[in-house]
Amino acid sequence: MLEKVDLTKKISKEEYKEKMPQLEIKLGRLQRECKALGIPVLIVFEGFGAAGKGLQIGRLIQSMDPRGFEVHTVKNETEEERMHPFMWRFWTKTPSRGRIAVFDGSWYRRVLIDRFEKRTKNKELPLAFHSINSFEEQLSEDGSLIIKLFLDIDRKEQKKRFDKLAKNKETAWRVSQGDRERNAHYDEYAAMMEDMLFKTDTDYAPWTIIESMDRRFATVKIYTTVIKAMADQIEKVRRHNAVKAKEKAPGQMEETANRKSEIGEIAEEAGNEMRDLQVSILSKADLTLSYTREEYKEKLDKLQSKLEKLHGELYRRRIPVVLGFEGWDAGGKGGAIKRLTARMDARGYVVNPTASPNDIEKAHHYLWRFWRAMPKDGHVAIFDRTWYGRVMVERIEGFCTTEEWKRAYKEINDMEKDLYDAGAIVIKFWMHIDKDEQERRFRERQENPEKQWKITDEDWRNREKWDQYENAVNEMLMRTSTDYAPWVVVEGNSKYYARVKVLQTVVDAIEKRLKEK
Amino acid sequence: MLEKVDLTKKISKEEYKEKMPQLEIKLGRLQRECKALGIPVLIVFEGFGAAGKGLQIGRLIQSMDPRGFEVHTVKNETEEERMHPFMWRFWTKTPSRGRIAVFDGSWYRRVLIDRFEKRTKNKELPLAFHSINSFEEQLSEDGSLIIKLFLDIDRKEQKKRFDKLAKNKETAWRVSQGDRERNAHYDEYAAMMEDMLFKTDTDYAPWTIIESMDRRFATVKIYTTVIKAMADQIEKVRRHNAVKAKEKAPGQMEETANRKSEIGEIAEEAGNEMRDLQVSILSKADLTLSYTREEYKEKLDKLQSKLEKLHGELYRRRIPVVLGFEGWDAGGKGGAIKRLTARMDARGYVVNPTASPNDIEKAHHYLWRFWRAMPKDGHVAIFDRTWYGRVMVERIEGFCTTEEWKRAYKEINDMEKDLYDAGAIVIKFWMHIDKDEQERRFRERQENPEKQWKITDEDWRNREKWDQYENAVNEMLMRTSTDYAPWVVVEGNSKYYARVKVLQTVVDAIEKRLKEK
């Protein structure tokens, strides 16, 4: 999750001044609404030291009625707390209905700082993760809203901030020996963060990464995240209450439930805002990357002949490979797959094209048809479009419910984990081009009689939803790129570059695995 | 779960002949209904070898339309299957909407026979359990009904059946070397069964134990379990469809949703049947157990003085103790607690009486108030009534929803696991008396002016719901008695006996722990 974060994001002073007053008004409004509806809210601040947790909490509560919230600062356990189960101090601090609890540090300490400093032993880790997820699931099912914010800065920035604090007498006490240690072992600590994010990023309590290099950007993103989450929860509770009221007195007040509410509008606006603020993995791709025809020919030839040999080796060593291809329409999936398989023994791989599910497939769980197509040991299965349709087209076209696509991230991660545990190499490619390049390719297809079959009205319609898709794709890449089944964004404006990158990635992954085993 | 099973249950030939025709008609009817509503059903048969899985499956499918189901026999993996993730052969066999898949053996093989025969390695076990739970949760959320039956027989009966099969030339092949091995190491294998039952007994796919010593009893219980589960699922889907239809066309057809349906009646009847068939842990208690006054005095004195010393030792060794008391009204909780604490240092224990939650408690998760009262290291917390109210009074009086009490078993197990992981001794006592004894005690209280405050109209009202409570208590004991936090049923008709048993149990548990550490 963290490696995909773009830490260069900024907001200008002017933009900040323009946005904040509106956000502050909304937050105050939503707090009152949560109180009225009896929704307990937990806001968790985690992240790197000196990322600005204290400062941001101070900024966030400025817009709240102080009678309605409490801030809990989580440090080392007190004597009393140490003599209880580690979740005890958090269970006892859960907010009552209608109140907000802000946590400066939290139960995640157990699997972060305490893990880093070896106060949490290795065998205690799975228990701690189980307790944490159980805690959050229980509260969430009981009606609590849990907002988890992860404040991210890089090692250099962290060191700079520590140095600055240390120089000043008034603030030097805030930089501990532990802070310095974690900065010195930034990568090791970041790996623990990453592990934590993956194990606890659930549909009932998802993480939001806050890029915190720029204070203003972080403030705006925190406000927007909290506003979106609260407004969604309020809407959910209202719908639920409306259904219950209808059951008690059928026929009454039908229209109020359907009328678009003011809170619904706030939710929608915040959703649009979030799109701009969200981690944009795609926007980081450098689409100018390219190869000349000569470079391409040479690299392609080398890689294909390498893969030919490796394919045989995979077969002998009985290692299965699963390669998923997703990407924009006309992003170059077909071309890349063709070059990938060009010299592979046809008995050892299958390309599975994924269309809309047929009737038999529709009569099963959405993952069923993909499970059926998974390769046996020593074989390669290539998917031209994949199970990720669930969190892209099905999400955007409303072919499944919000609950369904939200829980799909975990379901998909679980499936890929099963494949990995059974020894498979799993890689997913996102074939990325920009909007202009897509238009160029669409027109080329229309004009070329040989290629006309490749372009339909639907492609043009999908293109109109580019922004919605981009948002969904970013979220997908974020939540389902794992160490056991990573996403690879392929810069695809240059077809030559894209094809070579795909081949190179596959070759590297196989070589790495062969060395391991 | 298994240690609490009563394997002596039987049904006479006459009763069997009377019951079966009705059950068969209902099952056929429900199959058609599931088909019409597109509900996929998975029926899993697991349990001890020679418990009669094959025979019972044959009996079950007699009432079904053969065009609507498939039976999968799960043996060692084929060559093809071994070359895939272990869940692959099950994912690909999931039934399509409206169809029934019966599994003779199942994905549980991985954590049972394969574990016993060391084909599944220890480090693979947590992964396997994760995959299994994820599989069942995903299918269940997708609308599948998963019915899991565990056929239980004891070691002696198993051996007898193996011997009988072996003697006959025609059936000798059915007894494998593996069967003999597992019979020889029955206890070791049963412990794996137990571990499996606890890790996979979920609200979305719960286990039902089928006492299979008596073939007729098993058949009736299997039919009734399947009928109840199907009828409940059909009702659930219908309610869901009704809500959706209402959203589309508000106001229409209100009354059909509220009308009691025929399927609803089948569900209710099967529910009543299940009560008689359910594992009755309470009925196994021998309520004639008693002590004379002299025996009591002597034992009490010894145990209390032992506990006095142990209490100090607990404090020094910083071991926390959590003791929960539940039981019938007038079951003797108060008296037992009084004798338990008589000579304990008052600074080292707290008795928490649990009444209906007050307003502040109601504004939190139901476990919050209990978390707050959990003892710190070296201290003892005694609860007079406990968090189990959720699955007894709240369940029966409708103070919480069905979903809420169903998931409470896991929530409670998780909480007790947290306490245990933090070093606590956790024991729960069920103070058991029979109905006559309760009446005697109620009347005594009413007649004795000193004790009149102890009896209210509510006690008499609760008494009327004895059967409902008994059912809920049996389910509770079954699903929440764990090795880390066991339930102890205290035979309480003799107060002397009960008090001594409580003290003895606590003393034994502390002594055991002190030896371990």
Side-chain angles (χ1 to χ4, degrees):
Chain A
M1 226 162 163
L2 291 178
E3 49 139 28
K4 304 260 183 205
V5 173
D6 176 9
L7 285 175
T8 63
K9 298 200 159 192
K10 274 190 182 148
I11 278 185
S12 71
K13 221 169 187 166
E14 293 68 40
E15 203 184 336
Y16 180 77
K17 277 191 177 164
E18 194 196 307
K19 282 190 169 164
M20 285 308 294
Q22 276 302 313
L23 294 173
E24 295 190 65
I25 290 169
K26 284 178 189 170
L27 186 58
R29 166 79 198 278
L30 293 170
Q31 185 195 5
R32 290 190 295 278
E33 206 72 38
C34 282
K35 190 177 171 208
L37 288 169
I39 300 171
V41 181
L42 293 89
I43 307 178
V44 176
F45 281 80
E46 282 291 350
F48 287 97
K53 289 199 287 284
L55 189 140
Q56 294 294 351
I57 289 172
R59 192 68 192 77
L60 183 70
I61 59 179
Q62 273 176 27
S63 315
M64 294 187 191
D65 180 342
R67 291 162 304 181
F69 69 81
E70 226 163 319
V71 177
H72 301 287
T73 304
V74 177
K75 298 279 172 195
N76 274 331
E77 291 174 309
T78 63
E79 181 71 18
E80 180 80 9
E81 287 163 350
R82 216 181 357 262
M83 294 174 84
H84 283 94
F86 88 95
M87 285 306 295
W88 178 79
R89 59 170 166 162
F90 305 109
W91 264 104
T92 53
K93 287 188 186 72
T94 53
S96 64
R97 310 212 186 281
R99 287 186 64 85
I100 297 175
V102 179
F103 290 89
D104 178 4
S106 69
W107 41 96
Y108 286 100
R109 190 179 177 87
R110 180 82 170 181
V111 294
L112 295 175
I113 294 188
D114 287 353
R115 177 181 181 184
F116 184 81
E117 295 181 349
K118 301 203 166 51
R119 270 191 302 278
T120 306
K121 290 171 194 73
N122 271 338
K123 63 170 189 182
E124 290 172 331
L125 269 179
L127 304 175
F129 279 117
H130 181 86
S131 299
I132 286 171
N133 282 330
S134 176
F135 171 70
E136 293 181 358
E137 187 174 13
Q138 287 192 44
L139 291 182
S140 150
E141 288 191 323
D142 191 48
S144 291
L145 169 63
I146 305 172
I147 304 171
K148 302 192 296 196
L149 307 169
F150 187 92
L151 275 57
D152 192 16
I153 55 174
D154 65 23
R155 179 186 204 149
K156 231 173 101 188
E157 176 72 16
Q158 192 185 38
K159 184 159 186 313
K160 211 176 83 189
R161 292 188 187 183
F162 282 155
D163 288 346
K164 196 179 158 195
L165 288 169
K167 243 191 254 168
N168 187 328
K169 264 188 196 166
E170 312 246 306
T171 54
W173 62 273
R174 290 175 57 191
V175 185
S176 70
Q177 187 53 31
D179 285 329
R180 292 295 193 179
E181 281 282 321
R182 287 187 291 279
N183 182 258
H185 302 89
Y186 183 94
D187 290 344
E188 190 191 329
Y189 193 49
M192 291 180 185
M193 299 272 199
E194 188 76 38
D195 185 41
M196 175 282 278
L197 290 170
F198 270 114
K199 286 186 174 136
T200 60
D201 185 43
T202 54
D203 54 340
Y204 46 86
W207 280 102
T208 303
I209 307 288
I210 307 292
E211 298 81 347
S212 301
M213 302 286 272
D214 179 60
R215 187 187 57 70
R216 286 187 295 262
F217 181 87
T219 304
V220 170
K221 187 161 178 185
I222 289 168
Y223 261 85
T224 311
T225 305
V226 172
I227 286 170
K228 171 92 174 89
M230 280 184 167
D232 282 347
Q233 185 78 358
I234 290 166
E235 284 288 285
K236 196 175 130 191
V237 170
R238 282 189 177 171
R239 272 196 305 275
H240 179 79
N241 290 350
V243 169
K244 280 196 126 182
K246 247 193 272 182
E247 276 172 12
K248 277 190 191 159
Q252 276 180 5
M253 308 277 285
E254 293 292 351
E255 71 290 354
T256 52
N258 294 321
R259 207 178 51 201
K260 194 164 187 178
S261 73
E262 205 185 320
I263 302 287
E265 271 164 41
I266 293 179
E268 205 181 312
E269 279 165 28
N272 292 335
E273 276 289 320
M274 276 310 278
R275 242 176 256 174
D276 300 333
L277 298 169
Q278 252 335 340
V279 185
S280 174
I281 296 161
L282 292 183
S283 67
K284 273 169 72 187
D286 178 3
L287 290 176
T288 64
L289 291 169
S290 69
Y291 286 130
T292 63
R293 191 170 166 78
E294 289 66 43
E295 286 172 322
Y296 168 65
K297 284 275 172 198
E298 198 199 313
K299 283 177 195 285
L300 190 72
D301 185 60
K302 265 194 200 157
L303 286 165
Q304 285 180 334
S305 97
K306 241 188 193 172
L307 187 57
E308 189 179 355
K309 286 195 203 88
L310 289 171
H311 191 209
E313 191 63 19
L314 282 175
Y315 185 77
R316 275 187 297 277
R317 304 269 292 263
R318 298 209 158 194
I319 299 169
V321 179
V322 178
L323 304 174
F325 284 85
E326 290 285 357
W328 298 108
D329 287 330
K333 289 189 299 294
I337 292 171
K338 207 166 150 188
R339 271 62 177 196
L340 181 67
T341 56
R343 286 197 233 159
M344 283 165 67
D345 184 331
R347 293 164 301 183
Y349 75 88
V350 179
V351 178
N352 301 282
T354 303
S356 306
N358 63 32
D359 286 350
I360 295 169
E361 290 163 351
K362 269 189 208 148
H364 286 90
H365 190 280
Y366 73 98
L367 288 177
W368 176 78
R369 58 172 169 155
F370 300 107
W371 267 103
R372 281 164 54 104
M374 286 304 163
K376 60 181 172 184
D377 292 351
H379 288 247
V380 178
I382 296 167
F383 293 86
D384 184 352
R385 298 235 174 260
T386 68
W387 41 98
Y388 285 96
R390 188 71 159 187
V391 293
M392 294 196 294
V393 58
E394 291 195 42
R395 165 182 177 175
I396 285 165
E397 301 296 339
F399 296 154
C400 67
T401 66
T402 305
E403 289 72 39
E404 282 171 339
W405 65 256
K406 280 201 174 169
R407 66 171 185 259
Y409 298 119
K410 191 181 171 301
E411 293 169 345
I412 288 172
N413 285 341
D414 277 352
M415 178 177 77
E416 293 174 356
K417 185 68 165 32
D418 276 354
L419 299 170
Y420 171 82
D421 287 340
I425 296 171
V426 185
I427 310 172
K428 294 107 59 170
F429 294 99
W430 176 262
M431 305 303 288
H432 189 49
I433 51 174
D434 62 29
K435 228 177 154 180
D436 292 343
E437 178 66 17
Q438 189 187 50
E439 189 175 358
R440 220 187 44 71
R441 292 188 187 179
F442 276 11
R443 299 218 178 276
E444 189 192 315
R445 285 179 178 187
Q446 272 179 327
E447 283 152 23
N448 184 340
E450 298 285 300
K451 287 188 175 178
Q452 270 169 16
W453 62 274
K454 276 183 156 185
I455 180 106
T456 65
D457 286 352
E458 208 191 323
D459 291 328
W460 287 102
R461 275 198 301 277
N462 286 342
R463 186 177 156 77
E464 280 166 28
K465 296 185 179 169
W466 184 283
D467 291 352
Q468 270 174 279
Y469 272 98
E470 185 161 346
N471 181 41
V473 170
N474 276 320
E475 182 164 7
M476 167 187 92
L477 296 176
M478 194 71 176
R479 298 204 189 272
T480 59
S481 189
T482 57
D483 51 356
Y484 53 86
W487 269 107
V488 176
V489 175
V490 179
E491 300 82 352
N493 272 13
S494 154
K495 286 184 183 178
Y496 293 160
Y497 183 85
R499 290 167 188 170
V500 168
K501 177 159 178 180
V502 167
L503 262 157
Q504 185 74 57
T505 305
V506 174
V507 164
D508 288 350
I510 298 173
E511 285 184 336
K512 183 159 169 266
R513 173 64 64 89
L514 290 175
K515 260 180 228 151
E516 278 168 23
K517 292 222 166 173
Chain B
M1 226 161 163
L2 292 178
E3 50 140 29
K4 306 260 184 204
V5 173
D6 176 9
L7 285 175
T8 63
K9 298 199 158 193
K10 276 192 178 136
I11 277 183
S12 71
K13 222 170 187 164
E14 293 68 40
E15 203 184 337
Y16 180 78
K17 277 190 177 163
E18 195 195 307
K19 283 191 168 163
M20 285 308 293
Q22 276 303 312
L23 293 174
E24 296 190 63
I25 290 168
K26 283 178 190 170
L27 186 58
R29 164 80 197 277
L30 293 171
Q31 186 196 4
R32 290 191 295 278
E33 206 71 38
C34 282
K35 190 177 170 209
L37 288 169
I39 300 171
V41 182
L42 294 89
I43 307 179
V44 176
F45 281 80
E46 281 292 351
F48 287 97
K53 288 199 288 285
L55 189 139
Q56 294 293 352
I57 289 172
R59 191 69 192 78
L60 183 70
I61 60 179
Q62 274 176 27
S63 314
M64 295 187 192
D65 179 343
R67 293 163 302 180
F69 69 82
E70 227 164 317
V71 177
H72 302 285
T73 304
V74 178
K75 298 279 170 196
N76 274 332
E77 292 175 309
T78 63
E79 182 71 18
E80 180 81 7
E81 286 163 350
R82 219 185 351 267
M83 293 174 85
H84 283 94
F86 87 95
M87 285 306 294
W88 178 78
R89 58 169 166 163
F90 305 108
W91 263 104
T92 54
K93 287 189 187 71
T94 52
S96 63
R97 310 211 187 282
R99 287 186 64 85
I100 297 174
V102 180
F103 290 89
D104 178 4
S106 68
W107 40 97
Y108 286 100
R109 189 180 179 86
R110 178 84 170 180
V111 293
L112 297 175
I113 295 188
D114 287 353
R115 176 182 182 182
F116 184 82
E117 295 180 350
K118 300 203 166 51
R119 269 191 303 278
T120 306
K121 290 170 194 73
N122 271 338
K123 62 170 188 179
E124 289 172 330
L125 270 178
L127 303 177
F129 279 117
H130 181 86
S131 299
I132 287 171
N133 283 330
S134 176
F135 172 70
E136 293 181 358
E137 187 174 13
Q138 287 192 45
L139 289 182
S140 150
E141 288 191 323
D142 191 48
S144 291
L145 170 63
I146 305 173
I147 304 171
K148 302 192 296 195
L149 307 168
F150 187 93
L151 275 58
D152 192 15
I153 55 175
D154 66 23
R155 178 185 205 149
K156 231 173 102 187
E157 176 72 15
Q158 191 184 39
K159 184 159 186 311
K160 212 176 82 188
R161 293 187 186 183
F162 282 154
D163 288 347
K164 196 179 159 195
L165 288 168
K167 242 190 254 169
N168 188 327
K169 264 187 197 168
E170 313 245 306
T171 55
W173 61 273
R174 290 176 55 191
V175 185
S176 70
Q177 186 54 31
D179 286 329
R180 292 295 194 180
E181 282 282 320
R182 286 187 293 279
N183 183 257
H185 301 90
Y186 183 93
D187 290 344
E188 190 191 330
Y189 193 49
M192 291 179 186
M193 298 273 200
E194 187 78 38
D195 185 40
M196 175 283 278
L197 290 170
F198 270 114
K199 286 185 174 138
T200 61
D201 185 44
T202 53
D203 54 340
Y204 46 86
W207 280 101
T208 303
I209 307 288
I210 306 293
E211 299 81 347
S212 303
M213 303 285 273
D214 180 60
R215 188 187 56 71
R216 286 188 296 262
F217 180 87
T219 305
V220 170
K221 187 162 179 186
I222 289 168
Y223 262 85
T224 311
T225 305
V226 172
I227 286 170
K228 171 92 173 88
M230 280 184 167
D232 282 346
Q233 185 78 358
I234 290 165
E235 284 286 285
K236 196 174 129 191
V237 170
R238 282 188 176 172
R239 270 197 307 274
H240 178 78
N241 291 350
V243 169
K244 280 196 126 182
K246 246 193 273 180
E247 275 172 12
K248 277 188 192 160
Q252 276 180 8
M253 309 275 285
E254 292 293 352
E255 71 290 353
T256 52
N258 294 323
R259 206 178 53 203
K260 194 163 186 177
S261 74
E262 206 185 317
I263 303 288
E265 271 165 39
I266 293 179
E268 204 180 312
E269 279 166 29
N272 292 335
E273 275 289 320
M274 276 308 279
R275 242 176 257 174
D276 302 332
L277 298 168
Q278 255 331 344
V279 185
S280 173
I281 296 161
L282 291 184
S283 68
K284 274 169 71 186
D286 179 1
L287 290 176
T288 64
L289 291 170
S290 69
Y291 287 130
T292 63
R293 191 171 166 77
E294 289 66 42
E295 286 172 320
Y296 168 65
K297 285 274 173 198
E298 198 199 314
K299 284 178 195 283
L300 190 72
D301 184 59
K302 265 193 200 156
L303 286 166
Q304 285 180 334
S305 95
K306 242 189 193 171
L307 187 57
E308 189 179 355
K309 284 195 204 90
L310 289 171
H311 190 209
E313 191 62 18
L314 284 176
Y315 186 76
R316 274 187 297 278
R317 304 269 291 263
R318 299 209 157 194
I319 299 170
V321 179
V322 177
L323 304 174
F325 285 85
E326 290 286 356
W328 298 108
D329 288 328
K333 288 189 298 296
I337 292 171
K338 207 166 149 187
R339 272 61 178 195
L340 182 67
T341 56
R343 286 198 232 158
M344 282 164 69
D345 184 331
R347 292 163 302 181
Y349 75 88
V350 179
V351 178
N352 301 282
T354 303
S356 306
N358 62 31
D359 286 350
I360 294 168
E361 289 162 350
K362 268 188 208 149
H364 286 90
H365 191 280
Y366 73 97
L367 289 177
W368 176 78
R369 58 173 168 156
F370 301 107
W371 267 104
R372 281 164 54 104
M374 286 306 163
K376 59 182 171 184
D377 292 351
H379 288 247
V380 178
I382 296 167
F383 292 86
D384 185 352
R385 296 235 176 263
T386 68
W387 43 96
Y388 285 96
R390 187 73 159 187
V391 294
M392 294 197 293
V393 58
E394 292 194 41
R395 166 182 176 174
I396 286 165
E397 301 296 340
F399 296 155
C400 65
T401 66
T402 305
E403 290 72 38
E404 281 172 339
W405 65 256
K406 280 200 174 168
R407 67 171 186 257
Y409 298 118
K410 191 181 170 300
E411 292 169 346
I412 288 171
N413 285 342
D414 277 352
M415 179 178 76
E416 293 174 356
K417 185 68 166 32
D418 276 354
L419 298 171
Y420 171 82
D421 287 340
I425 296 171
V426 184
I427 309 172
K428 292 106 59 169
F429 294 99
W430 176 262
M431 305 303 288
H432 190 49
I433 52 175
D434 62 28
K435 227 175 154 181
D436 292 343
E437 178 65 18
Q438 189 187 52
E439 189 174 357
R440 219 187 45 69
R441 293 188 187 180
F442 276 11
R443 298 215 178 279
E444 190 193 315
R445 286 178 177 189
Q446 273 180 328
E447 283 151 24
N448 184 341
E450 298 285 300
K451 288 188 174 180
Q452 271 168 16
W453 62 274
K454 277 183 155 185
I455 180 105
T456 65
D457 286 353
E458 206 190 324
D459 292 328
W460 288 102
R461 276 198 302 276
N462 285 342
R463 185 176 156 78
E464 279 166 28
K465 297 185 178 169
W466 183 283
D467 290 352
Q468 272 174 276
Y469 272 98
E470 183 159 349
N471 182 41
V473 170
N474 276 321
E475 183 164 7
M476 168 186 91
L477 296 176
M478 195 70 174
R479 297 204 190 272
T480 59
S481 189
T482 56
D483 52 355
Y484 53 86
W487 269 107
V488 176
V489 175
V490 178
E491 300 82 352
N493 273 13
S494 153
K495 286 184 183 177
Y496 293 161
Y497 182 85
R499 291 167 189 171
V500 168
K501 178 159 178 180
V502 167
L503 261 157
Q504 186 73 58
T505 306
V506 174
V507 164
D508 288 351
I510 297 173
E511 285 183 336
K512 184 159 168 266
R513 173 64 65 89
L514 290 176
K515 260 180 227 151
E516 278 167 21
K517 293 222 168 176

